[in-house]
Amino acid sequence: MSDLPLIQADRAVPPPAAVTPTGGRRRRVRLLSRTDRVVVALMVAVPLLLVVGLVWLPAGATVLLSGTDWDGIGPVGDIEWVGGRNYADVVRNYPPFVPAVQNNLLWLAALFVVATPFGMFLAVLLDKELRGSRFYQTALYLPVVLSLALIGFVWQLLYSRDQGLVNAVLGTDVDWYGDPDVNIWAVLVAAGWRHVGYIMLLYLAGLKGVDPSLREAAAVDGASEGRTFFQVIFPVLRPINIIVLVVTVIESLRAFDLVWVINKGRNGLELLSALVTQNVVGEASRIGFGSALATVMLVVSLVFITVYLATVLREGRR
Amino acid sequence: MSTATAPREDRTAPATRRRPPPRPARVVLHVFLAAVAVGWLFPILWAVLTSLRSYEYTATNGYVSLGGWTLDNYVTAWRTAEFGKHFLNSVYITVPAVLLTLFLASCVAFVIARFSWRTNVVLLGLFTAANLLPQQALLIPLFRLFTQVPLPAFMSDSELLYDSYWGLILVNVAFQCGFCVFVLSNYMKALPRDLYEAAMVDGASVWRQYWQVTMPLCRPALAALATLEVTWIYNEFFWATVLMRTGDKFPVTSSLNNLRGEFFTDNNLVSAGSVLVAIPTLVIFFLLQRQFVRGLTLGASKG
């Protein structure tokens, strides 16, 4: 791989222009005919227009709208700039905000502290070329192909108060989806169920790429299995670790489908994503207010996206 | 040299990997993994089991019982929930969206991988990051935009981008492009440069280099991405929920939510509906499992 010219390779070694004036990048550019240049421009412009128009401009507009008092009715010219008032209102005068932040953090903690290590642990076990490993793997990542909305329904069969399996087996009478004290935990079990399989898959792919000589060297040094993993293998998996970290953060921030199918993110299941949606789609059309909530999500995610890009683009450069 | 060392390696390499006689640790490991695997499959198996039993039987004997086998739930669910129509809606959205995503993303990826412009890294970042943004953070302007953009009546009976298949296709394409650009550009960067030198000597235009040289070589990656994207766009719930109004036009994943009202007290029907919705993704998964898994890890292992 490393001997292939990547993007940066051309720039790192500029062609000796004086000796071979036709070498390197210059020659390639000159060989592009006018049609070719139009084709290249179109190949980039059309997708770019779509992504900028439907993702980046709206993202920017969200930030701008968060400083206004627009209610979505009336001409855009009437929009009044209110500065940080929406943010102040969100924090001070909006009861679901604090529970939503707590639930988002809880979501992150549950996926990060329980589901992710468990997925990694299973990947390490399954990396050992066991008999029947394929069956175990398939069973574990099967939930990944289901939509989160569907997962909400599947788990309802276990959680339902009168018809659910959990209450029937435990002899309890808990409304797992309805009781605001327990429903977030019930939902987290379902979300974790799916997340474990995904994480296992990512680590399994990472472990397959680890140089076997590292393990052999560790074995020669007499390192125990646990020591080998934590001191030799785990550090090598750094790019995967960062990707998993970012995926987990983003997934917990974007979590939406599961709580929306249960009760539209109310009554114990508040999440930032659901609050934004409630403020726009429902009866109440509080554009500026909803945008302030959305901007909070945007900023948090951009921090982690930057970390992610820095990692993957650096990897690609090697 | 290789002939001299090969036999030796053959002996030492398996020594570390040799399958030992069943040790207690191995047995414990298998028991543990089997338990986890069964536990993981259980909710899905339970849904299938529940869907195959009649409501009357389970209501009198409890869900933790055996008997009352029937296929009626599927028939009822299919009829009352009009699954046929909703599946068709999903097809209208998923098929064009996946094809467009792969086409547009491969164009960008080709340019990024083929030419060494300074802006390429920025371009790659712009596309990849777009895929990771929380959708809800874009909802407000997009919602307004979609309700303002008119479409001719033959394209959308709402005469707006809002509540039309076109709007959902576009938004899905815009969102999924990033992931595909990222994976495909990595894949294309690994193709040998000589190919293009040769193609240029033969006078191939940029388009031919893309369509007839690069794309055929990318077939494995495209297959993996197609499998993954079909699953993702079919499973997509949020955009369809907020950018659609007419219940009849909902794709099957988000129509589920409307169906729950009808099925509220009958878990056997809910499970039959869930199984029906899951079938397309499960079929893809079992038929194209290798592609699916490869697609998921393409984005990660070769960062």
Side-chain angles (χ1 to χ4, degrees):
Chain A
M1 292 289 284
S2 56
D3 57 340
L4 290 165
L6 299 175
I7 314 174
Q8 290 79 6
D10 306 73
R11 234 184 295 131
V13 189
V19 187
T20 48
T22 51
R25 209 176 131 197
R26 236 154 122 213
R27 182 187 60 182
R28 206 173 303 134
V29 172
R30 200 188 300 156
L31 278 174
L32 285 183
S33 71
R34 182 170 302 193
T35 332
D36 280 347
R37 264 180 248 178
V38 172
V39 168
V40 169
L42 278 178
M43 285 172 93
V44 175
V46 176
L48 194 63
L49 203 70
L50 203 62
V51 171
V52 170
L54 292 182
V55 178
W56 290 109
L57 283 183
T62 298
V63 178
L64 284 180
L65 285 172
S66 73
T68 71
D69 68 346
W70 199 32
D71 56 2
I73 310 160
V76 181
D78 288 358
I79 297 177
E80 218 168 297
W81 187 259
V82 295
R85 202 181 73 199
N86 287 321
Y87 293 93
D89 280 351
V90 162
V91 177
R92 285 195 219 122
N93 308 327
Y94 191 50
F97 178 70
V98 173
V101 171
Q102 282 172 347
N103 284 342
N104 270 107
L105 287 174
L106 195 62
W107 203 289
L108 175 64
L111 291 192
F112 194 67
V113 178
V114 183
T116 303
F118 190 54
M120 180 163 62
F121 177 61
L122 290 170
V124 171
L125 295 185
L126 290 169
D127 189 41
K128 293 183 181 185
E129 292 178 17
L130 290 169
R131 208 170 296 175
S133 168
R134 229 177 105 82
F135 164 72
Y136 301 140
Q137 283 176 40
T138 309
L140 283 161
Y141 58 67
L142 194 56
V144 181
V145 302
L146 305 179
S147 74
L148 274 163
L150 191 61
I151 285 173
F153 284 89
V154 169
W155 280 78
Q156 190 193 340
L157 306 173
L158 305 176
Y159 285 145
S160 156
R161 180 165 60 187
D162 305 320
Q163 307 176 26
L165 181 69
V166 176
N167 280 346
V169 170
L170 298 180
T172 48
D173 188 28
V174 182
D175 188 358
W176 295 97
Y177 271 171
D179 186 340
D181 292 328
V182 296
N183 56 8
I184 187 72
W185 301 103
V187 170
L188 282 172
V189 170
W193 177 61
R194 187 175 190 266
H195 193 70
V196 165
Y198 187 26
I199 297 299
M200 180 212 69
L201 207 59
L202 291 180
Y203 273 116
L204 211 50
L207 286 168
K208 294 243 162 73
V210 171
D211 186 352
S213 64
L214 279 176
R215 277 177 223 268
E216 277 155 33
V220 169
D221 288 350
S224 71
E225 226 172 313
R227 229 181 117 103
T228 309
F229 180 75
F230 284 107
Q231 301 195 337
V232 181
I233 310 292
F234 190 75
V236 181
L237 292 175
R238 188 168 173 274
I240 294 275
N241 289 331
I242 291 178
I243 287 165
V244 165
L245 168 74
V246 175
V247 163
T248 308
V249 173
I250 301 241
E251 292 275 310
S252 2
L253 195 66
R254 296 211 279 210
F256 174 83
D257 307 14
L258 206 46
V259 303
W260 197 260
V261 295
I262 294 168
N263 64 4
K264 303 209 180 254
R266 291 168 219 266
N267 197 25
L269 294 183
E270 289 82 4
L271 288 177
L272 287 174
S273 57
L275 297 189
V276 175
T277 314
Q278 286 164 17
N279 273 293
V280 186
V281 181
E283 322 66 70
S285 165
R286 291 191 287 177
I287 303 283
F289 190 78
S291 299
L293 283 166
T295 306
V296 174
M297 293 181 76
L298 201 58
V299 169
V300 176
S301 63
L302 277 175
V303 171
F304 287 91
I305 290 172
T306 312
V307 173
Y308 175 82
L309 286 181
T311 309
V312 295
L313 294 181
R314 196 185 307 132
E315 283 300 304
R317 218 170 275 196
R318 266 176 211 152
Chain B
M1 185 196 134
S2 58
T3 45
T5 52
R8 209 146 152 236
E9 271 176 10
D10 272 331
R11 221 177 300 135
T12 51
T16 52
R17 288 247 166 191
R18 192 204 305 148
R19 195 163 303 207
R23 280 176 304 164
R26 260 296 128 126
V27 175
V28 170
L29 185 61
H30 270 288
V31 169
F32 173 74
L33 283 172
V36 172
V38 170
W40 241 249
L41 285 177
F42 183 77
I44 299 171
L45 294 178
W46 184 250
V48 175
L49 199 70
T50 310
S51 71
L52 292 171
R53 308 174 63 194
S54 80
Y55 179 72
E56 290 71 31
Y57 187 89
T58 45
T60 40
N61 297 289
Y63 277 83
V64 192
S65 60
L66 277 180
W69 306 109
T70 174
L71 284 172
D72 288 351
N73 294 315
Y74 285 93
V75 179
T76 318
W78 184 274
R79 280 217 200 105
T80 53
E82 300 181 281
F83 271 109
K85 187 162 66 192
H86 291 293
F87 275 124
L88 216 54
N89 291 341
S90 286
V91 172
Y92 293 151
I93 294 162
T94 309
V95 172
V98 170
L99 293 177
L100 253 176
T101 304
L102 289 180
F103 173 66
L104 293 177
S106 62
C107 285
V108 177
F110 171 77
V111 175
I112 289 177
R114 172 77 179 76
F115 301 102
S116 17
W117 293 335
R118 194 172 287 268
T119 48
N120 278 358
V121 179
V122 180
L123 208 58
L124 185 58
L126 212 60
F127 274 93
T128 311
N131 178 243
L132 294 170
L133 289 179
Q135 290 94 323
Q136 293 82 10
L138 321 172
L139 167 63
I140 294 164
L142 269 185
F143 186 78
R144 305 302 306 180
L145 179 76
F146 273 42
T147 51
Q148 300 300 315
V149 175
L151 284 183
F154 73 89
M155 285 172 78
S156 150
D157 46 24
S158 64
E159 300 192 23
L160 289 173
L161 204 50
Y162 175 72
D163 201 23
S164 75
Y165 298 130
W166 301 86
L168 277 188
I169 292 169
L170 283 181
V171 83
N172 274 313
V173 171
F175 237 87
Q176 296 299 339
C177 253
F179 181 76
C180 296
V181 166
F182 177 69
V183 170
L184 285 173
S185 69
N186 277 333
Y187 198 88
M188 289 177 187
K189 273 176 209 164
L191 299 176
R193 281 256 149 164
D194 304 355
L195 273 173
Y196 298 114
E197 305 283 333
M200 284 198 312
V201 169
D202 292 346
S205 66
V206 167
W207 181 257
R208 274 182 81 112
Q209 290 172 34
Y210 159 73
W211 190 248
Q212 294 191 327
V213 178
T214 312
M215 288 303 263
L217 292 171
C218 290
R219 246 179 240 153
L222 289 168
L225 284 174
T227 311
L228 204 59
E229 290 294 339
V230 167
T231 329
W232 281 350
I233 297 178
Y234 174 87
N235 281 344
E236 202 284 315
F237 174 78
F238 175 70
W239 291 121
T241 306
V242 295
L243 297 178
M244 280 279 192
R245 184 182 43 203
T246 315
D248 277 358
K249 286 196 271 187
F250 276 116
V252 72
T253 303
S254 27
S255 73
L256 262 178
N257 208 25
N258 295 1
L259 309 179
R260 195 171 56 158
E262 300 164 34
F263 295 173
F264 202 68
T265 50
D266 192 341
N267 261 1
N268 305 60
L269 270 184
V270 170
S271 50
S274 303
V275 172
L276 284 174
V277 174
I279 282 174
T281 50
L282 291 179
V283 167
I284 287 182
F285 178 69
F286 283 112
L287 287 182
L288 304 167
Q289 201 184 128
R290 188 178 294 173
Q291 260 83 3
F292 181 84
V293 171
R294 198 196 287 152
L296 266 182
T297 51
L298 262 177
S301 60
K302 169 70 185 84

